[in-house]
Amino acid sequence: MGNINNSSADLEQLNKFTRRQFTGDEVFIFSAVLCDNEIDRDNERFSRKSLEQLAEKFVGVTGIFDHDPRGGNQTARIFSAEVVEESRENSLGEPYAYVKANAYMVRTDSNADLIREIDGGIKKEVSVSCAAERHICSVCGTDRLVKACHHVKGRRYDGKKCFLSLEDISDAYEWSFVAVPAQVGAGVTKGFEETAHEDAEVPDDTENKVSHDETDRSELEKSIRRALAMRCPDGCAKQIFDRVCGMLDDGELKELGKAVSAGKSPKVPERLDEYLMQV
């Protein structure tokens, strides 16, 4: 990420999003790598086609901090984006590619320190929030949004690492400055979730198959985290969930998921009442 020249072409593009024409002295323009086609820390990745879709959909999208959706948290806006392909390969043997976005801020007294931090490489890492209509298992090709499979992200099956390929991007919500992005080179939709068994080698046979329940629970926890992050700007509900999810049985976790999806207040199991009063 870094400052780029305020060329006439850049100004013409960004002024499509302003109410009046801004000059180069009035705006701060910088570029950012939003995401790439490498497997990220959550063992998910974007295909080349998904990157093309993201580059198109992120034009005009606002930049915020830590995926906090409050309007007062808006800090920048993307005015152009493209997919850049390099001569090197990613870990899958494909040409390495990423989405490069150009964004702008109107220079004000209040964001002068932020601009200096961007120029100084302090505010650098970013993460994107988007919707993918298909989550394809790399081992068996199952769309995990339609049907569960027994493969666990991060584990290896006959030498092949399991990850989900995010396909058919239907929406781009926002992009954020974050401390630790899911993607090493930039960041993706979600928060950083460590995978405990990333290097575990698991033969793909009947005796060693992971149950559907284990996979379903992992996906359910992840969907609840995402929903809470969008509904609770200060992140407090997500933090509480992260601390107590291990104390919920599968049935209670499913009830929590239904309540969050419906926008209702979940009924807390009695054994957690005392604990939650302390967090």
Side-chain angles (χ1 to χ4, degrees):
M1 179 183 295
N3 199 17
I4 62 176
N5 295 327
N6 292 15
S7 68
S8 58
D10 293 331
L11 292 173
E12 181 180 356
Q13 287 181 301
L14 75 83
N15 275 314
K16 294 178 181 179
F17 301 97
T18 63
R19 293 185 61 187
R20 68 169 176 83
Q21 297 295 298
F22 279 77
T23 66
D25 292 336
E26 294 179 290
V27 295
F28 173 73
I29 299 176
F30 60 98
S31 61
V33 174
L34 295 182
C35 50
D36 58 25
N37 63 347
E38 190 57 88
I39 301 172
D40 66 21
R41 290 182 172 111
D42 287 336
N43 290 298
E44 298 179 352
R45 56 92 67 162
F46 291 122
S47 66
R48 174 57 188 263
K49 181 179 179 181
S50 294
L51 293 182
E52 298 283 356
Q53 295 167 339
L54 285 165
E56 178 181 353
K57 293 183 181 298
F58 264 106
V59 175
V61 173
T62 189
I64 58 179
F65 289 95
D66 298 318
H67 300 297
D68 183 340
R70 289 178 294 186
N73 207 23
Q74 291 178 284
T75 187
R77 191 170 300 278
I78 292 172
F79 64 87
S80 67
E82 64 177 334
V83 176
V84 178
E85 183 175 298
E86 296 187 353
S87 58
R88 64 188 178 96
E89 295 182 341
N90 64 10
S91 62
L92 301 174
E94 304 169 344
Y96 175 76
Y98 60 89
V99 175
K100 177 185 176 182
N102 296 324
Y104 75 95
M105 287 186 267
V106 177
R107 292 181 181 272
T108 64
D109 292 339
S110 62
N111 67 16
D113 288 340
L114 173 59
I115 290 174
R116 282 194 288 269
E117 289 179 332
I118 292 175
D119 273 342
I122 304 302
K123 290 293 189 295
K124 181 179 180 180
E125 290 77 16
V126 299
S127 173
V128 300
S129 178
C130 64
E133 296 301 306
R134 296 192 298 143
H135 293 186
I136 306 301
C137 173
S138 64
V139 178
C140 66
T142 296
D143 182 355
R144 295 276 281 269
L145 293 184
V146 176
K147 180 182 178 181
C149 69
H150 66 268
H151 302 113
V152 177
K153 291 189 302 179
R155 292 190 177 181
R156 295 183 181 275
Y157 300 83
D158 291 339
K160 186 174 183 179
K161 186 175 183 177
C162 177
F163 62 87
L164 296 185
S165 184
L166 307 180
E167 307 286 348
D168 296 343
I169 307 301
S170 58
D171 204 351
Y173 303 131
E174 46 83 5
W175 55 283
S176 292
F177 287 100
V178 297
V180 184
Q183 288 198 334
V184 175
V188 77
T189 275
K190 48 218 182 280
F192 173 21
E193 298 175 19
E194 289 282 8
T195 302
H197 306 288
E198 181 168 346
D199 296 319
E201 182 86 15
V202 179
D204 193 6
D205 55 41
T206 304
E207 291 182 349
N208 291 282
K209 285 183 180 179
V210 181
S211 70
H212 285 193
D213 289 341
E214 180 180 343
T215 302
D216 289 345
R217 182 180 178 94
S218 175
E219 294 300 314
L220 180 56
E221 288 181 4
K222 186 173 180 179
S223 67
I224 295 174
R225 286 189 182 96
R226 287 177 176 171
L228 290 176
M230 294 300 296
R231 290 179 54 199
C232 305
D234 60 3
C236 62
K238 178 181 179 296
Q239 293 170 14
I240 292 174
F241 172 73
D242 286 343
R243 295 170 67 178
V244 304
C245 66
M247 303 172 68
L248 302 177
D249 61 33
D250 290 347
E252 292 166 341
L253 190 66
K254 290 179 181 179
E255 288 302 314
L256 176 61
K258 292 178 182 178
V260 170
S261 298
K264 300 177 180 179
S265 297
K267 181 179 179 181
V268 179
E270 292 182 3
R271 71 180 186 283
L272 294 182
D273 281 344
E274 182 177 350
Y275 177 82
L276 290 176
M277 290 293 290
Q278 301 173 11
V279 296

